[in-house]
Amino acid sequence: MMTQPLILSPRYRLDDEITWLEGIDPSRRYWLAVNGDRQLRVVIPGLCVASSQELKDAILGFRALHPQETMIIKRPFFGKLTIRCLSPNCYAIEGRVQGALTWHLFDKEALESLLLTSHPDWIPSQRDIELGRKLLESAFEQPTYVV
């Protein structure tokens, strides 16, 4: 019988000593301080559902992932959320850090907690709403192209 390899890479956990979660904006994107570095913030797609049944299906799909399996959740207007199961307690979500493709690693408890914030009744804090405003403001600062 083959056992799963032990993954020694650091990953985001709920009981981390460093604060890595900056917040979750109203469109359910996760704002992270990469490895706790407040100067290096990234925004990665999160789970966004329209109903409790969609949330239930997504959570059950996440819990059913086995090592080397991938779960892809399409997000209208925001691309897709891709979750890769690397081992029984290590999951990766793709993102970009300073333009480079990166995998943000999470333990099962931390990632499931993030996914649960997509519940239709979840209400973001005022701080989380401000994160959404920041992202919207940055979109308006982008140059427009005239054809």
Side-chain angles (χ1 to χ4, degrees), residues 21-128:
L21 181 62
E22 295 283 317
I24 302 165
D25 69 29
S27 62
R28 308 311 200 270
R29 288 174 295 218
Y30 311 137
W31 293 62
L32 309 176
V34 177
N35 298 324
D37 183 351
R38 299 250 182 249
Q39 302 303 314
L40 190 56
R41 294 181 180 158
V42 295
V43 181
I44 60 174
L47 179 61
C48 190
V49 298
S51 70
S52 295
Q53 186 60 47
E54 278 185 63
L55 174 61
K56 181 180 177 182
D57 293 344
I59 294 296
L60 290 175
F62 169 69
R63 289 178 180 168
L65 283 176
H66 294 295
Q68 301 175 7
E69 290 183 343
T70 301
M71 178 178 179
I72 299 173
I73 301 168
K74 293 183 180 167
R75 291 188 39 134
F77 309 109
F78 298 110
K80 63 184 177 182
L81 168 62
T82 303
I83 300 172
R84 288 185 169 75
C85 179
L86 304 178
S87 76
N89 194 29
C90 187
Y91 299 83
I93 294 180
E94 287 182 2
R96 294 210 171 263
V97 175
Q98 297 178 335
L101 184 60
T102 306
W103 281 6
H104 300 280
L105 303 180
F106 298 86
D107 72 1
K108 187 172 191 166
E109 181 183 22
L111 187 50
E112 187 168 317
S113 294
L114 290 175
L115 296 174
L116 287 171
T117 64
S118 70
H119 190 282
D121 293 336
W122 179 76
I123 299 172
S125 70
Q126 188 61 38
R127 183 172 177 236
D128 292 332

Side-chain angles (χ1 to χ4, degrees), residues 1-27:
M1 179 163 85
M2 190 170 156
T3 60
Q4 295 300 321
L6 177 64
I7 306 252
L8 297 176
S9 298
R11 63 198 83 174
Y12 299 116
R13 300 173 324 182
L14 291 178
D15 61 351
D16 275 342
E17 292 178 16
I18 58 169
T19 304
W20 51 269
L21 181 62
E22 295 283 317
I24 302 165
D25 69 29
S27 62

